[in-house]
Amino acid sequence: MKRLLLIGLCLICWALATSVKADTNDEDSRGFSYRIEGQAVLADGEEIEVDMLLGFQRSQTHGWYFRAGPDYIFRNTPPEAYYLNLILDGEGHAYVLEFSDQPIKTFLVTVDDYELELMPTENPEINFGVRLRMDQRQYLFDSSHPRLRFELTEDGLSSIVAERTMRDLSIRRAE
């Protein structure tokens, strides 16, 4: 019993010494962490909270821990991008597996200084029945599998690019 207590005490001391070392070494603590948070409305009308962590941190073994939502992986180099995939069903709904396993009618989320909104359109000529607003720009989809590319550097999120989309210029004509 005494041996187990001694081993436990040694492990606690080792953990404390390791965490103090990590806190005092600024070069090894590079990385970032953002929350993608907001609201989504499911196809059945239910409102849900969106709260997803996106980030990476340099480890003491000179690799990187990358995290997206509850999952994380260890990498030798920091990732250059993260892709948020949308699957459009053509009925005005999207599947965004990071947010929900059910179809989503709309969402409004923020990450860093960006605001992203998926919204229905009343125009029946618009493909897939939804459009995307990213800050002040609106986009239409030219594929049923668009994605948002979160471009990353060691300092954080550098930009978000809407792929497989086209600028919605009809908004300007309507105003």
Side-chain angles (χ1 to χ4, degrees), residues 123 125-126 140 167-175:
N123 186 345
E125 295 176 15
I126 302 288
L140 299 175
R167 289 282 306 274
D168 183 1
L169 301 177
S170 68
I171 299 299
R172 287 188 194 167
R173 283 181 271 163
E175 293 176 351

Side-chain angles (χ1 to χ4, degrees), residues 88-101:
L88 306 177
D89 68 358
E91 308 272 325
H93 305 119
Y95 288 90
V96 185
L97 295 180
E98 287 88 340
F99 298 169
S100 173
D101 60 356

Side-chain angles (χ1 to χ4, degrees), residues 13-168:
C13 290
W14 174 79
L16 289 173
T18 304
S19 66
V20 169
K21 180 180 174 187
D23 289 341
T24 60
N25 192 350
D26 290 337
E27 185 176 320
D28 284 343
S29 63
R30 289 182 295 172
F32 70 85
S33 180
Y34 295 105
R35 287 203 126 8
I36 299 174
E37 53 190 356
Q39 299 271 35
V41 177
L42 302 178
D44 65 4
E46 179 186 354
E47 289 186 22
I48 61 168
E49 293 289 322
V50 174
D51 187 9
M52 177 185 154
L53 184 65
L54 178 67
F56 64 82
Q57 186 73 38
R58 185 168 189 123
S59 77
Q60 291 180 335
T61 58
H62 303 292
W64 296 86
Y65 285 103
F66 176 69
R67 182 171 187 152
D71 302 319
Y72 67 92
I73 61 170
F74 182 78
R75 299 175 42 106
N76 291 330
T77 60
E80 295 177 6
Y82 175 74
Y83 294 92
L84 183 71
N85 294 301
L86 289 83
I87 302 169
L88 306 177
D89 68 358
E91 308 272 325
H93 305 119
Y95 288 90
V96 185
L97 295 180
E98 287 88 340
F99 298 169
S100 173
D101 60 356
Q102 298 179 36
I104 294 175
K105 190 185 318 184
T106 65
F107 66 73
L108 176 61
V109 296
T110 58
V111 56
D112 195 27
D113 294 329
Y114 296 92
E115 186 173 79
L116 307 168
E117 181 177 16
L118 181 76
M119 57 190 142
T121 179
E122 301 298 322
N123 186 345
E125 295 176 15
I126 302 288
N127 286 340
F128 308 109
V130 290
R131 70 178 74 215
L132 175 72
R133 182 181 62 80
M134 188 165 41
D135 294 329
Q136 300 306 316
R137 293 186 174 180
Q138 298 215 19
Y139 297 89
L140 299 175
F141 300 105
D142 63 0
S143 167
S144 62
H145 294 79
R147 61 187 185 182
L148 300 174
R149 183 178 72 230
F150 292 76
E151 295 181 339
L152 309 171
T153 68
E154 287 186 20
D155 298 322
L157 180 63
S158 62
S159 66
I160 301 175
V161 177
E163 295 183 343
R164 302 180 188 135
T165 63
M166 59 190 140
R167 289 282 306 274
D168 183 1

